[in-house]
Amino acid sequence: MALRAALRQKCGLIGILSQPSSSGSHSRVSAVLVSQMRNNATSPKIKVDFNQSTGVAVLSMQSPPVNSLSLDFLTELCISVEKLEMDRACRGLIITSSLPKVFSAGLDILEMYGKSPERCGEFWRAVQEMWLKMYSSNMVTIAAINGSSPAGGCLLSLTCDYRIMSDNPRYSIGLNETLLGIVAPFGTDKNIIKNTHTCSN
Ligand SMILES: CCCCCC/C=C\CC(=O)SCCNC(=O)CCNC(=O)[C@H](O)C(C)(C)COP(=O)(O)OP(=O)(O)OC[C@H]1O[C@@H](n2cnc3c(N)ncnc32)[C@H](O)[C@@H]1OP(=O)(O)O
């Protein structure tokens, strides 16, 4: 009931929950494949279960060991969210983890070491794209934080409309990245600044 109320508040529509799903874009599906090939991965890092009758999708992060946000992971995450966004039947999105104990360990530290400036640029653009896409989503978004969620994992949860965390003292959450000497890069891209203003309204 709470979700339906939230859906009503955010979308102003409730009657379309049972509308049939439209099909995803082929170009985006192939972008996932390109992402997997680049990473030499055989299994997807993101699993999406969409329930047509409720209009709610559950996006499970399943990238062992700790769902770190690598360029490939972020690419796949953004494509999955975009595909759901294009589906008018999907009104709500729950993001959670399939892994025990960890929601997300945040940005993949290996992406920040020994990489070319071009690759670093691509990575940080993907980080920006992820939080802008989530923050400006038309769907009601909920982070079901079922494990530790430091730094970028916390950031991911903060981009959602609602956060619910497992009551377990062993799970930690917070913006601890400054302890590693990592600060958010200054966004000079006009679109990023524009989108940020739009989101804050
Ligand atoms: C506008 C944009 C603003 C952006 C601002 C910047 C935002 C965020 C910056 C970041 O996110 S930097 C990353 C910070 N992350 C951390 O500090 C998390 C560190 N990790 C942990 O605290 C723990 O690993 C955990 C998540 C609590 C899990 O603990 P657990 O005991 O279950 O597992 P571990 O043995 O510690 O780790 C297993 C395995 O995973 C590797 N690993 C852990 N975290 C990362 C990571 N962030 N990136 C890459 N790899 C990671 C860890 O090294 C272990 O590897 P192996 O030793 O098994 O090879």
Side-chain angles (χ1 to χ4, degrees):
M1 283 305 285
L3 179 60
R4 287 181 85 81
L7 286 167
R8 207 177 281 117
Q9 187 187 4
K10 183 161 178 173
C11 311
L13 292 168
I14 201 76
I16 61 169
L17 281 176
S18 56
Q19 279 187 2
S21 161
S22 60
S23 61
S25 143
H26 291 303
S27 61
R28 299 200 185 288
V29 172
S30 52
V32 173
L33 293 176
V34 168
S35 160
Q36 285 170 12
M37 284 162 66
R38 181 172 53 201
N39 199 33
N40 204 19
T42 51
S43 58
K45 300 175 191 306
I46 305 286
K47 180 164 143 299
V48 177
D49 292 308
F50 177 48
N51 185 325
Q52 286 276 354
S53 61
T54 60
V56 176
V58 177
L59 184 155
S60 302
M61 301 181 285
Q62 49 175 28
S63 181
V66 288
N67 286 331
S68 60
L69 307 176
S70 63
L71 177 56
D72 290 311
F73 186 99
L74 289 165
T75 305
E76 208 177 311
L77 178 67
C78 282
I79 290 168
S80 300
V81 173
E82 258 176 39
K83 283 171 69 181
L84 292 169
E85 202 81 64
M86 287 187 293
D87 191 334
R88 284 175 55 84
C90 185
R91 313 304 292 165
L93 172 63
I94 298 170
I95 297 189
T96 193
S97 168
S98 297
L99 308 181
K101 299 190 295 179
V102 180
F103 178 74
S104 168
L107 304 190
D108 193 317
I109 289 172
L110 298 176
E111 292 282 6
M112 300 175 218
Y113 176 77
K115 302 287 192 218
S116 68
E118 293 74 25
R119 169 85 189 200
C120 281
E122 209 185 340
F123 172 66
W124 281 104
R125 271 191 297 277
V127 175
Q128 303 272 27
E129 192 186 341
M130 176 273 287
W131 74 259
L132 285 171
K133 195 173 291 301
M134 287 299 303
Y135 195 55
S136 59
S137 173
N138 289 326
M139 296 180 285
V140 174
T141 52
I142 301 167
I145 310 164
N146 53 347
S148 289
S149 190
C154 179
L155 172 74
L156 174 59
S157 72
L158 288 173
T159 64
C160 293
D161 298 316
Y162 300 92
R163 281 150 296 285
I164 302 165
M165 186 167 182
S166 303
D167 187 11
N168 187 325
R170 281 173 299 176
Y171 298 163
S172 59
I173 185 166
L175 296 171
N176 67 321
E177 67 272 7
T178 49
L179 297 174
L180 299 173
I182 297 169
V183 292
F186 182 67
T188 53
D189 186 303
K190 277 187 189 152
N191 288 328
I192 290 171
I193 292 166
K194 180 169 165 275
N195 282 339
T196 305
H197 279 293
T198 306
C199 292
S200 65
N201 287 336

